[in-house]
Amino acid sequence: MNLLLNIRITLIIGISCFVNASGFSQQAFKFGKYDLEEIELVNCYYEPDANEVILFHVGISSFANNSLQTYHHLRKKILKEEGKDKANVILRFYHGDDAIESIKIDKAQLVNFENGKEVVYKLGKNEIFEANLPNGYKEIRMAFPNAKEGSIIEYTYEKTDKYLTFIDGWCFQSTSPTLYSRYTIGIPEGMNYNMLTQGAKLTQLSPKPTSNGYYYWELNDLHSIKPEPFLSNAVDYVEKIEFQLSNYQTLSNPGYGARTQKLVNVLHTWEKAGDEIRSTSNFNTYLKTKKGQAVIPGAVLDDLKSIYTYVQNNFVATSKNGILPSKTQKDLINSGSGSKADINLLLLSILQSKDIEAYPVLISSKGNGRSNLVKYPFISQFNQLIIKVIINNESIFLDASDPNLKIGYLSLDNHVNEGFLLDHKKSHLTEINLKHKSGINLLSKISIDKNAYIFDQNIRMSDYEALQFDHYYEGDEDAIKSALAKNNEGEINSFSHISDEEKFIIDLKFTLLEVFDTMSTITFVTPLQFKKFENNPFQQEHRAFPIDFNHLFADRYSIVLQLPEGYAFDHKPDNLNVSMQEKEVSFSYKSEQNDKILTLNILFAINNKIIMPSKYEELKTIFDLIINKLNEPIAIKKI
């Protein structure tokens, strides 16, 4: 399959493309020469808690001998004692059976500064190890001795890559903050690559030319790649550049006379890419089913529900990733287990046998390293396969490999905007629009009886709100009741828990009792006892990556608080209507008082599931207002 394999190329390349890569890099940064600013640096000003900082990481790539050779030069500093483990350096690469990638260390040393003098520890060849890993991977391991706070670690190496169809290029960020990162590449005449950039900074930059025909990109003050609240897939947003080969020229000499040039296209159309995937041997076995054919003999499978449930309950997924099936349809049916692609393609086969319109869709799930699909038919960007069904002009997306998903739901890591739909007529990119009405609906009646507040609560959680709740508690009613009772700060007097079989809907009905202080002249009650956020989850001063709420939601709370004789409200709560400037988050709080009855109607909605870090300060401020209002107590006084 051409789109998934590498190519070896006889190129028309100008001699100027073959320069000494290591010499180019060292012109700007000389190995072992440290300036005063590096020596005196004690913290990273934009990540003061960082244990280490990368002072610079520069690289230059050139083509030679049917491979890409990239020279790396990295210098970093340990800022805290807790960062001493950063002296253990691992460089991972894919070697495979054909030595696809290889790494050769050039120089490596650690420097300490003691009494104004440099104490240098150079790594010898016997201190650099190469380790074999599963699935064709290898690691270069270096353990720098005598590491401590203030140590500077520096190394250079050359990485050779024979895979020229897709070039990994450069990732400008690391798990530590990076003060400066630069990547330079010289692409030979006769090779045409599409440039694929990602990241808030890099996508705004144009490449800068060098004097020798190369191009480079440089970024400063890059945050570390690390988990942040409401983002488990930071790798999808890192600053990086990649290259996809579109076409190249070859030289041929069919006989006597001048040599001729031939343009070879590598990057085909989406239609061609879809045809090649569908034609692979295992994949093709799931596409041969004819209308009316009994794919599973003896099974009563008449409609979408029965088919989906049967596949879900009778086949076990042994692996999640992969867009190509690991076995034929016959082998899957006989074994009862297979990959996610196997199981979903069997679902497709049965649906098509019942004349239900269905298609395989390839997606790049969250955490696969890409926040948006590349608009070229680059197949390696996809890592999972799901199914799209069209019934009465309505699109429904399915994943039968997950036994916990109902029809029309996908796991949160599969909530992406686009996929590649495979069709024998015309494969194409397709929008993935998951229709749902996620959120919490709460009806609460609060009364006072003797020395207790009585909260009669009716809560309905819908769609992905219910799915997350169900996944977290796994039906453990004791754990649910403990959480509702605020871990025994209150008392659950009655309780019922009902889950809908068709959709993700959970209904909770319970009565919560809390102590009412009859001795005080003024007492306070927090009317909203059940809510999504107890505190503002956004406490960081700065945000490096986008906020991903996973799905849209609208929480609605309707609360009625009724006082007995002898009591009155000290004052009516103020109304509040706030939203972000572009309505990504909106909040409404309305209160009405009729003598001893206070009614609160609250709407809290996330209208855009992805919020960029440039809007973090606005989001943080809005959440402060919202959380404070949701936690606002009501003052009750004796009269």
Side-chain angles (χ1 to χ4, degrees), residues 368-394:
N368 192 41
R370 196 168 300 282
S371 54
N372 292 297
L373 292 183
V374 175
K375 300 306 179 183
Y376 309 112
F378 157 48
I379 303 307
S380 297
Q381 66 185 308
F382 302 106
N383 70 324
Q384 294 192 28
L385 184 150
I386 59 175
I387 301 299
K388 178 180 179 178
V389 171
I390 299 178
I391 297 178
N392 298 325
N393 294 321
E394 181 181 355

Side-chain angles (χ1 to χ4, degrees), residues 130-292:
E130 183 176 278
N132 293 317
L133 300 176
N135 303 318
Y137 284 89
K138 289 190 174 186
E139 282 181 351
I140 298 293
R141 298 173 181 173
M142 297 183 286
F144 291 87
N146 301 306
K148 62 182 181 179
E149 182 178 332
S151 297
I152 291 181
I153 294 170
E154 186 173 15
Y155 51 91
T156 60
Y157 64 94
E158 185 174 78
K159 181 179 180 182
T160 300
D161 190 348
K162 297 179 181 178
Y163 190 85
L164 301 180
T165 309
F166 181 75
I167 298 174
D168 285 338
W170 194 258
C171 182
F172 291 79
Q173 289 176 273
S174 170
T175 53
S176 299
T178 301
L179 298 183
Y180 179 76
S181 183
R182 184 185 71 214
Y183 179 61
T184 306
I185 187 170
I187 296 178
E189 180 183 354
M191 297 182 74
N192 294 310
Y193 280 88
N194 289 316
M195 183 178 67
L196 317 173
T197 59
Q198 177 176 286
K201 294 182 178 181
L202 197 61
T203 52
Q204 303 301 313
L205 289 182
S206 297
K208 300 176 182 179
T210 67
S211 58
N212 61 350
Y214 279 54
Y215 288 89
Y216 71 96
W217 298 257
E218 59 184 348
L219 294 176
N220 296 287
D221 299 341
L222 296 155
H223 284 272
S224 58
I225 304 171
K226 60 184 178 182
E228 293 183 305
F230 289 92
L231 187 72
S232 58
N233 54 311
V235 67
D236 293 346
Y237 296 93
V238 297
E239 304 283 350
K240 68 178 180 180
I241 185 167
E242 302 162 315
F243 302 87
Q244 167 71 49
L245 184 62
S246 177
N247 57 62
Y248 63 94
Q249 290 180 338
T250 62
L251 290 176
S252 62
N253 190 354
Y256 296 102
R259 301 176 74 183
T260 60
Q261 299 179 8
K262 180 182 178 181
L263 185 68
V264 179
N265 288 317
V266 176
L267 195 60
H268 298 292
T269 63
W270 287 109
E271 295 90 333
K272 173 89 171 177
D275 291 343
E276 291 193 0
I277 294 172
R278 286 169 49 85
S279 65
T280 56
S281 56
N282 284 350
F283 207 109
N284 192 43
T285 65
Y286 295 89
L287 305 177
K288 295 179 178 179
T289 305
K290 297 180 181 179
K291 181 181 176 180

